[in-house]
Short mmCIF file of all heavy atoms in Angstrom, two decimals:
data_model
loop_
_atom_site.label_atom_id
_atom_site.label_comp_id
_atom_site.label_asym_id
_atom_site.label_seq_id
_atom_site.Cartn_x
_atom_site.Cartn_y
_atom_site.Cartn_z
N TYR A 9 100.16 108.76 104.92
CA TYR A 9 100.28 107.29 104.94
C TYR A 9 100.19 106.77 106.37
O TYR A 9 99.47 105.80 106.65
CB TYR A 9 101.58 106.86 104.28
CG TYR A 9 102.11 105.53 104.79
CD1 TYR A 9 101.37 104.36 104.64
CD2 TYR A 9 103.35 105.45 105.44
CE1 TYR A 9 101.85 103.14 105.13
CE2 TYR A 9 103.83 104.25 105.92
CZ TYR A 9 103.08 103.09 105.77
OH TYR A 9 103.54 101.90 106.25
N ARG A 10 100.93 107.39 107.28
CA ARG A 10 100.92 106.93 108.68
C ARG A 10 99.53 107.03 109.29
O ARG A 10 99.11 106.15 110.05
CB ARG A 10 101.90 107.78 109.50
CG ARG A 10 103.36 107.62 109.11
CD ARG A 10 103.89 106.26 109.43
NE ARG A 10 105.30 106.14 109.07
CZ ARG A 10 105.98 105.01 109.08
NH1 ARG A 10 105.37 103.88 109.42
NH2 ARG A 10 107.26 104.97 108.74
N ARG A 11 98.82 108.10 108.95
CA ARG A 11 97.47 108.27 109.50
C ARG A 11 96.54 107.17 108.97
O ARG A 11 95.75 106.58 109.73
CB ARG A 11 96.94 109.66 109.15
CG ARG A 11 95.60 109.99 109.79
CD ARG A 11 95.30 111.46 109.73
NE ARG A 11 95.26 111.99 108.38
CZ ARG A 11 96.17 112.81 107.87
NH1 ARG A 11 97.23 113.18 108.59
NH2 ARG A 11 96.06 113.25 106.64
N PHE A 12 96.61 106.89 107.68
CA PHE A 12 95.77 105.83 107.09
C PHE A 12 96.16 104.47 107.68
O PHE A 12 95.29 103.64 107.96
CB PHE A 12 95.94 105.82 105.57
CG PHE A 12 95.03 104.86 104.86
CD1 PHE A 12 93.72 105.20 104.59
CD2 PHE A 12 95.48 103.61 104.47
CE1 PHE A 12 92.86 104.32 103.94
CE2 PHE A 12 94.64 102.72 103.82
CZ PHE A 12 93.34 103.07 103.56
N ASP A 13 97.43 104.27 107.86
CA ASP A 13 97.91 103.02 108.45
C ASP A 13 97.36 102.84 109.86
O ASP A 13 96.90 101.75 110.22
CB ASP A 13 99.45 103.03 108.47
CG ASP A 13 100.04 101.70 108.92
OD1 ASP A 13 99.75 100.68 108.27
OD2 ASP A 13 100.78 101.69 109.91
N ASP A 14 97.38 103.90 110.64
CA ASP A 14 96.88 103.83 112.02
C ASP A 14 95.36 103.66 112.08
O ASP A 14 94.85 102.85 112.87
CB ASP A 14 97.27 105.09 112.80
CG ASP A 14 98.74 105.11 113.17
OD1 ASP A 14 99.37 104.04 113.19
OD2 ASP A 14 99.26 106.21 113.43
N GLU A 15 94.66 104.43 111.26
CA GLU A 15 93.20 104.50 111.38
C GLU A 15 92.48 103.39 110.63
O GLU A 15 91.37 103.00 111.03
CB GLU A 15 92.71 105.86 110.87
CG GLU A 15 93.21 107.04 111.71
CD GLU A 15 92.80 108.38 111.14
OE1 GLU A 15 92.17 108.41 110.05
OE2 GLU A 15 93.10 109.41 111.78
N VAL A 16 93.07 102.86 109.57
CA VAL A 16 92.36 101.88 108.74
C VAL A 16 93.08 100.53 108.71
O VAL A 16 92.47 99.48 108.97
CB VAL A 16 92.19 102.41 107.29
CG1 VAL A 16 91.46 101.37 106.43
CG2 VAL A 16 91.44 103.73 107.28
N ILE A 17 94.37 100.54 108.41
CA ILE A 17 95.09 99.29 108.22
C ILE A 17 95.24 98.50 109.53
O ILE A 17 94.98 97.30 109.58
CB ILE A 17 96.48 99.54 107.60
CG1 ILE A 17 96.33 100.17 106.21
CG2 ILE A 17 97.26 98.23 107.50
CD1 ILE A 17 95.60 99.32 105.20
N ARG A 18 95.64 99.18 110.59
CA ARG A 18 95.84 98.46 111.86
C ARG A 18 94.55 97.80 112.37
O ARG A 18 94.60 96.65 112.84
CB ARG A 18 96.44 99.40 112.91
CG ARG A 18 97.90 99.73 112.64
CD ARG A 18 98.51 100.56 113.75
NE ARG A 18 99.89 100.90 113.45
CZ ARG A 18 100.91 100.76 114.30
NH1 ARG A 18 100.68 100.27 115.50
NH2 ARG A 18 102.13 101.10 113.97
N PRO A 19 93.40 98.47 112.32
CA PRO A 19 92.17 97.78 112.72
C PRO A 19 91.87 96.55 111.85
O PRO A 19 91.39 95.54 112.36
CB PRO A 19 91.10 98.86 112.56
CG PRO A 19 91.82 100.15 112.77
CD PRO A 19 93.17 99.92 112.13
N ILE A 20 92.17 96.65 110.55
CA ILE A 20 91.98 95.48 109.68
C ILE A 20 92.88 94.34 110.14
O ILE A 20 92.46 93.18 110.20
CB ILE A 20 92.30 95.85 108.21
CG1 ILE A 20 91.23 96.78 107.64
CG2 ILE A 20 92.41 94.58 107.34
CD1 ILE A 20 91.55 97.28 106.24
N GLU A 21 94.11 94.67 110.50
CA GLU A 21 95.05 93.65 110.94
C GLU A 21 94.58 92.98 112.23
O GLU A 21 94.66 91.76 112.38
CB GLU A 21 96.43 94.27 111.13
CG GLU A 21 97.08 94.69 109.82
CD GLU A 21 98.43 95.34 110.00
OE1 GLU A 21 98.70 95.89 111.09
OE2 GLU A 21 99.24 95.29 109.05
N LEU A 22 94.10 93.79 113.16
CA LEU A 22 93.62 93.23 114.42
C LEU A 22 92.46 92.28 114.19
O LEU A 22 92.34 91.24 114.85
CB LEU A 22 93.21 94.36 115.38
CG LEU A 22 94.36 95.21 115.93
CD1 LEU A 22 93.81 96.38 116.73
CD2 LEU A 22 95.29 94.37 116.80
N ALA A 23 91.58 92.63 113.25
CA ALA A 23 90.44 91.75 112.94
C ALA A 23 90.91 90.48 112.24
O ALA A 23 90.51 89.36 112.59
CB ALA A 23 89.43 92.50 112.08
N ASP A 24 91.79 90.64 111.26
CA ASP A 24 92.23 89.48 110.48
C ASP A 24 93.10 88.53 111.29
O ASP A 24 93.15 87.33 111.01
CB ASP A 24 93.00 89.96 109.24
CG ASP A 24 92.91 88.96 108.09
OD1 ASP A 24 91.85 88.90 107.45
OD2 ASP A 24 93.90 88.22 107.87
N ASN A 25 93.77 89.07 112.31
CA ASN A 25 94.59 88.24 113.18
C ASN A 25 93.83 87.74 114.39
O ASN A 25 94.42 87.19 115.33
CB ASN A 25 95.84 89.01 113.61
CG ASN A 25 96.86 89.15 112.49
OD1 ASN A 25 97.15 88.20 111.77
ND2 ASN A 25 97.40 90.35 112.32
N GLY A 26 92.50 87.94 114.40
CA GLY A 26 91.66 87.36 115.43
C GLY A 26 91.70 88.05 116.77
O GLY A 26 91.47 87.41 117.80
N VAL A 27 91.97 89.37 116.78
CA VAL A 27 92.04 90.11 118.04
C VAL A 27 90.71 90.80 118.34
O VAL A 27 90.09 90.57 119.38
CB VAL A 27 93.19 91.12 118.03
CG1 VAL A 27 93.24 91.89 119.35
CG2 VAL A 27 94.52 90.42 117.76
N VAL A 28 90.27 91.67 117.45
CA VAL A 28 89.02 92.40 117.67
C VAL A 28 88.46 92.86 116.32
O VAL A 28 89.22 93.24 115.42
CB VAL A 28 89.24 93.62 118.60
CG1 VAL A 28 90.23 94.61 117.99
CG2 VAL A 28 87.93 94.32 118.93
N LEU A 29 87.15 92.81 116.17
CA LEU A 29 86.51 93.26 114.93
C LEU A 29 86.40 94.78 114.90
O LEU A 29 86.56 95.45 115.91
CB LEU A 29 85.13 92.63 114.80
CG LEU A 29 85.08 91.16 114.40
CD1 LEU A 29 83.65 90.64 114.45
CD2 LEU A 29 85.66 90.97 112.99
N ASN A 30 86.12 95.30 113.73
CA ASN A 30 85.92 96.73 113.57
C ASN A 30 84.88 96.95 112.48
O ASN A 30 84.63 96.06 111.65
CB ASN A 30 87.24 97.43 113.20
CG ASN A 30 87.75 96.97 111.85
OD1 ASN A 30 87.37 97.49 110.82
ND2 ASN A 30 88.63 95.95 111.85
N PRO A 31 84.23 98.11 112.44
CA PRO A 31 83.15 98.36 111.47
C PRO A 31 83.59 98.24 110.02
O PRO A 31 82.83 97.75 109.18
CB PRO A 31 82.72 99.79 111.81
CG PRO A 31 83.06 99.96 113.24
CD PRO A 31 84.33 99.20 113.44
N PHE A 32 84.82 98.65 109.70
CA PHE A 32 85.26 98.59 108.30
C PHE A 32 85.36 97.15 107.83
O PHE A 32 84.89 96.80 106.74
CB PHE A 32 86.60 99.31 108.13
CG PHE A 32 87.04 99.42 106.70
CD1 PHE A 32 86.58 100.44 105.90
CD2 PHE A 32 87.91 98.49 106.16
CE1 PHE A 32 86.98 100.55 104.57
CE2 PHE A 32 88.32 98.59 104.83
CZ PHE A 32 87.85 99.62 104.04
N SER A 33 85.97 96.30 108.65
CA SER A 33 86.09 94.88 108.27
C SER A 33 84.72 94.23 108.14
O SER A 33 84.49 93.41 107.24
CB SER A 33 86.93 94.14 109.30
OG SER A 33 88.27 94.60 109.30
N LEU A 34 83.80 94.60 109.02
CA LEU A 34 82.44 94.07 108.93
C LEU A 34 81.74 94.54 107.65
O LEU A 34 81.00 93.78 107.03
CB LEU A 34 81.64 94.50 110.16
CG LEU A 34 82.04 93.84 111.48
CD1 LEU A 34 81.29 94.49 112.65
CD2 LEU A 34 81.76 92.34 111.45
N ALA A 35 82.00 95.80 107.27
CA ALA A 35 81.40 96.32 106.04
C ALA A 35 81.90 95.55 104.82
O ALA A 35 81.12 95.20 103.93
CB ALA A 35 81.72 97.81 105.90
N VAL A 36 83.18 95.25 104.79
CA VAL A 36 83.74 94.48 103.67
C VAL A 36 83.16 93.06 103.66
O VAL A 36 82.82 92.51 102.61
CB VAL A 36 85.27 94.45 103.74
CG1 VAL A 36 85.84 93.54 102.65
CG2 VAL A 36 85.85 95.85 103.59
N SER A 37 83.02 92.48 104.84
CA SER A 37 82.47 91.12 104.94
C SER A 37 81.03 91.04 104.46
O SER A 37 80.55 89.96 104.08
CB SER A 37 82.56 90.62 106.38
OG SER A 37 83.90 90.46 106.78
N SER A 38 80.33 92.17 104.46
CA SER A 38 78.94 92.17 104.01
C SER A 38 78.81 91.86 102.53
O SER A 38 77.72 91.55 102.04
CB SER A 38 78.27 93.51 104.32
OG SER A 38 78.78 94.55 103.49
N PHE A 39 79.93 91.94 101.79
CA PHE A 39 79.91 91.62 100.36
C PHE A 39 80.06 90.12 100.11
O PHE A 39 79.88 89.67 98.97
CB PHE A 39 81.02 92.38 99.63
CG PHE A 39 80.76 93.86 99.50
CD1 PHE A 39 81.23 94.75 100.45
CD2 PHE A 39 80.05 94.35 98.41
CE1 PHE A 39 81.00 96.10 100.32
CE2 PHE A 39 79.80 95.71 98.28
CZ PHE A 39 80.28 96.60 99.24
N VAL A 40 80.39 89.36 101.15
CA VAL A 40 80.47 87.90 100.98
C VAL A 40 79.07 87.37 100.69
O VAL A 40 78.13 87.64 101.47
CB VAL A 40 81.04 87.24 102.25
CG1 VAL A 40 80.99 85.72 102.12
CG2 VAL A 40 82.46 87.71 102.51
N PRO A 41 78.88 86.65 99.60
CA PRO A 41 77.54 86.17 99.25
C PRO A 41 76.95 85.27 100.33
O PRO A 41 77.66 84.50 100.99
CB PRO A 41 77.77 85.38 97.95
CG PRO A 41 79.04 85.94 97.39
CD PRO A 41 79.88 86.29 98.57
N ASN A 42 75.65 85.38 100.54
CA ASN A 42 74.96 84.49 101.47
C ASN A 42 75.02 83.05 100.97
O ASN A 42 75.22 82.79 99.78
CB ASN A 42 73.50 84.92 101.63
CG ASN A 42 73.38 86.31 102.23
OD1 ASN A 42 74.19 86.70 103.08
ND2 ASN A 42 72.39 87.06 101.79
N TRP A 43 74.84 82.13 101.85
CA TRP A 43 74.94 80.71 101.49
C TRP A 43 73.98 80.31 100.39
O TRP A 43 74.26 79.41 99.59
CB TRP A 43 74.71 79.83 102.72
CG TRP A 43 73.28 79.87 103.24
CD1 TRP A 43 72.76 80.75 104.13
CD2 TRP A 43 72.21 79.01 102.85
NE1 TRP A 43 71.43 80.51 104.34
CE2 TRP A 43 71.05 79.44 103.57
CE3 TRP A 43 72.09 77.92 101.97
CZ2 TRP A 43 69.82 78.80 103.44
CZ3 TRP A 43 70.85 77.30 101.85
CH2 TRP A 43 69.74 77.74 102.58
N ASP A 44 72.82 81.00 100.33
CA ASP A 44 71.81 80.64 99.33
C ASP A 44 71.75 81.66 98.19
O ASP A 44 70.77 81.71 97.45
CB ASP A 44 70.44 80.50 99.98
CG ASP A 44 70.03 81.74 100.77
OD1 ASP A 44 70.86 82.67 100.92
OD2 ASP A 44 68.87 81.79 101.24
N SER A 45 72.80 82.45 98.05
CA SER A 45 72.83 83.46 96.99
C SER A 45 73.28 82.84 95.67
O SER A 45 74.07 81.89 95.65
CB SER A 45 73.78 84.59 97.37
OG SER A 45 73.96 85.49 96.29
N GLU A 46 72.80 83.37 94.57
CA GLU A 46 73.24 82.92 93.26
C GLU A 46 74.55 83.60 92.86
O GLU A 46 75.20 83.19 91.89
CB GLU A 46 72.16 83.22 92.21
CG GLU A 46 70.87 82.42 92.42
CD GLU A 46 69.85 82.69 91.33
OE1 GLU A 46 70.15 83.50 90.42
OE2 GLU A 46 68.77 82.09 91.38
#
């Protein structure tokens, strides 16, 4: 749990709190539909 928290959760938190982006958060954001998507 601690390892997952350090390696995955903390980077998500830093991105969501406006500190720094990370590849995982960007990958999840890629699922947000484009403005002209159906």
Side-chain angles (χ1 to χ4, degrees):
Y9 153 61
R10 294 293 181 189
R11 186 164 59 250
F12 186 81
D13 186 58
D14 286 339
E15 296 176 357
V16 180
I17 298 298
R18 288 185 182 228
I20 290 175
E21 291 178 335
L22 290 174
D24 207 76
N25 286 315
V27 180
V28 61
L29 285 174
N30 65 85
F32 186 83
S33 294
L34 290 172
V36 175
S37 294
S38 71
F39 288 92
V40 175
N42 297 325
W43 69 272
D44 54 353
S45 172
E46 294 183 0

